[in-house]
Amino acid sequence: MTTTVAGPEAGVPEARARALAVLRIRSAALAVALLPAAAAVVLLAGSATGRIGGSHGDGWTALRWAVTGGALLVLLLAAAVAAVVVRARPALTPTVPVAEETAPDLYRLVRDLAERLEVPAPSAIALTPDCDSWLEDRTHPAHTNRRERRDRGALAVDKSRAVRGVRGAPGPAGADRAADRPGRRVPRAPVLVIGSPFLWWMRVAELRALLAPVVAGTGPSVHPDIAAARRFVRGLDAAVAVAARGGEPSSGPAPALVAVVRRPAFAFVGWIARMLLRGCRDHAAGMERAVAAEASERAQSVDYGLRIVAQEQVGLAYAGWDRLLTRVALPAWRMGRWPSRLDAGVVSALTELSRRDRLAEGFTSRLSERPACDLLEEPGVMDEATSLLAARLFHGGPPEPGPDWSPVDWGAYPEEVVDRKWRQEAARLNRLLDERADAPGPTGADPAPAPVGAPAPPTLARVIDRFTAAAPTDGPDGDGGAPRLAARLSVEVAREEAAASRAYGQGRTAGAEGPAGGAVGDPWIDGFAPVFPLQPPRTGRELLADHVTAMVCCAAVDTAGASPGLDWLDGPALLVGGRRRADLTRPVLSLVEDGDDGPLRAWLGEVGVRPEKPVRLG
């Protein structure tokens, strides 16, 4: 079976024209840098032959030296800019590598799809904890060197595999190194990055239809002109990022004296790179649009009707994935636990959504078909790896499990996450209520705890009485009033989160300073914690309502026989008689915001909670 590489005659003339426009801007910049040198050469040659001025003329001698010195300075600056552009590492999306031996059926599906589309197959496959799929070029030498690292945030390919019948494709041994040499202009096919939720929710046929336009993009990607234009634009973008950081290495800040020299130099590099980016921005955008249009046109011949169904599943998967991360995973991450089966959880979340939403009816019948995750040899291992990467990206957790960062299964989630969350929040609320609120320190300082006699037993009735006694009359400065208590909760939670972040940072620093050859964290992730926050910080009112709700739930569990549970769409849930009670929010808000305990006491009486009984904390 022979695969034909799509060339410019196959339908990429517009993209190639745009790519050539980008390359002309690169050539123009090079010409501007060489122009003073050319003028200096002309003056020196003319002086040597006696055709321009005299060899002893003071005016011509001064002009020759001035032009030659200026040319050397311009060449030096151009070489510095070029070095930064070439050496700057483009941004690399953190992914989980999928080796061929761990997913032979998935690789076979992608290669068969590439053969049908008559394009080269992607060089490798990786998973990302997101509802999206794309092609990513990882031919930069810095990315190639990272293949030897055992880093979950980078693609690691032990060896390259040849694509049958594709001229110029990398071979199993030395061809991969040959493709990395700057002198070679045979682009290597990009890496196919697949959103992990798609593998678990979509069926095999739907995944093939969804990936068709993505895989079709490998044809234009291996065109030499388009690949060169993309490398130039990515290099400029990476140079701008390096200049913004002042050129400091990721291992630590540069010394003060060196930084004084580096900052102006990198500021100049950033100015040049931004100017070139502005010049080629429109052409680069047009090139990418033309590439996408060509890929979409080519993919129409493959499962076009099924692609419409697959696109509907993309929207549904995105909704379920977002709810699972923000409502279910985020509370566990805040507790120092990370769910190890997020992708399997999205199936449960979408199944629950199909039961609640009439618009989603009929989707559960798809579950009888073969899921795309069956294309993996060990889907559980891949699910665990993508779940840990999701925690790093969206919460900023450590790159590896540890005593304070351990996985949790869905079966243990209610006891190990929900119950612990309620107990810790209830303990924090009672601890703040035990402190004296009428003696604050200086402005901005944390209130110092002071004993007020024998500690009162932690009961729900005590919490309710504090809110009803202080809420409408004492105002924002009252002892234990809701606004002051909310502010103190915000300070306490921020302090605990900062301590956890420092602990994560110390762990990363220790790993980075380990012996040579050890695993080193990716600064693109480790420099930001988290990289992509799921939600803005909770306000004081929201924190206060959550803590009061936790106290009520603890009382219900200890005195009314309730139990913690997991709702796939809403996260932690209170189960009374085996059924979820979702009507607690309004009574709690009535108590917190208005000081009215009537709705909450009515709810407690209905459920059978005894607020005067002590609650177990911690």
Side-chain angles (χ1 to χ4, degrees), residues 199 290 407:
L199 285 176

Side-chain angles (χ1 to χ4, degrees), residues 91 130 134 154 213 231 235 288 346 393 402 488 550 575-576 604 611 617:
D130 195 6
W134 65 88
R231 283 196 304 269
E288 297 300 337
V346 76
L393 291 176
R488 294 164 64 196
L575 303 181
V576 179
L604 297 176
L617 304 178

Side-chain angles (χ1 to χ4, degrees), residues 365-527:
S365 61
R366 303 168 48 261
L367 301 181
S368 59
E369 304 174 13
R370 185 191 182 193
C373 64
D374 281 356
L375 300 174
L376 304 174
E377 290 292 312
E378 297 180 352
V381 175
M382 289 294 173
D383 195 355
E384 182 176 358
T386 55
S387 299
L388 181 58
L389 180 58
R392 291 187 69 192
L393 291 176
F394 301 123
H395 185 66
E400 298 293 339
D404 297 327
W405 186 245
S406 56
V408 59
D409 294 329
W410 292 125
Y413 186 94
E415 291 295 331
E416 297 188 15
V417 175
V418 179
D419 189 71
R420 284 184 55 201
K421 172 182 180 295
W422 288 343
R423 305 290 178 183
Q424 288 188 9
E425 291 182 349
R428 185 185 297 120
L429 177 62
N430 280 271
R431 184 172 67 252
L432 292 181
L433 289 178
D434 288 336
E435 296 175 359
R436 196 169 58 200
D438 57 353
T443 303
D446 299 332
V452 291
T459 63
L460 178 59
R462 171 174 174 257
V463 174
I464 295 176
D465 292 340
R466 293 293 292 269
F467 277 96
T468 55
T473 57
D474 288 356
D477 296 327
D479 182 14
R484 177 176 294 277
L485 187 56
R488 294 164 64 196
L489 273 175
S490 299
V491 172
E492 186 74 12
V493 172
R495 182 190 297 113
E496 294 177 3
E497 292 179 352
S501 298
R502 285 194 297 271
Y504 296 162
Q506 291 173 359
R508 289 193 296 268
T509 302
E513 295 176 353
V520 179
D522 189 344
W524 196 75
I525 304 175
D526 295 343

Side-chain angles (χ1 to χ4, degrees), residues 321-332 413 421 534-535 566-572 580:
W321 183 250
D322 180 72
R323 292 292 289 266
L324 186 71
L325 292 182
T326 57
R327 305 294 182 88
V328 179
L330 188 57
Y413 186 94
K421 172 182 180 295
L534 292 175
Q535 291 179 339
L566 169 61
D567 186 275
W568 290 108
L569 297 177
D570 295 325
R580 179 195 174 204

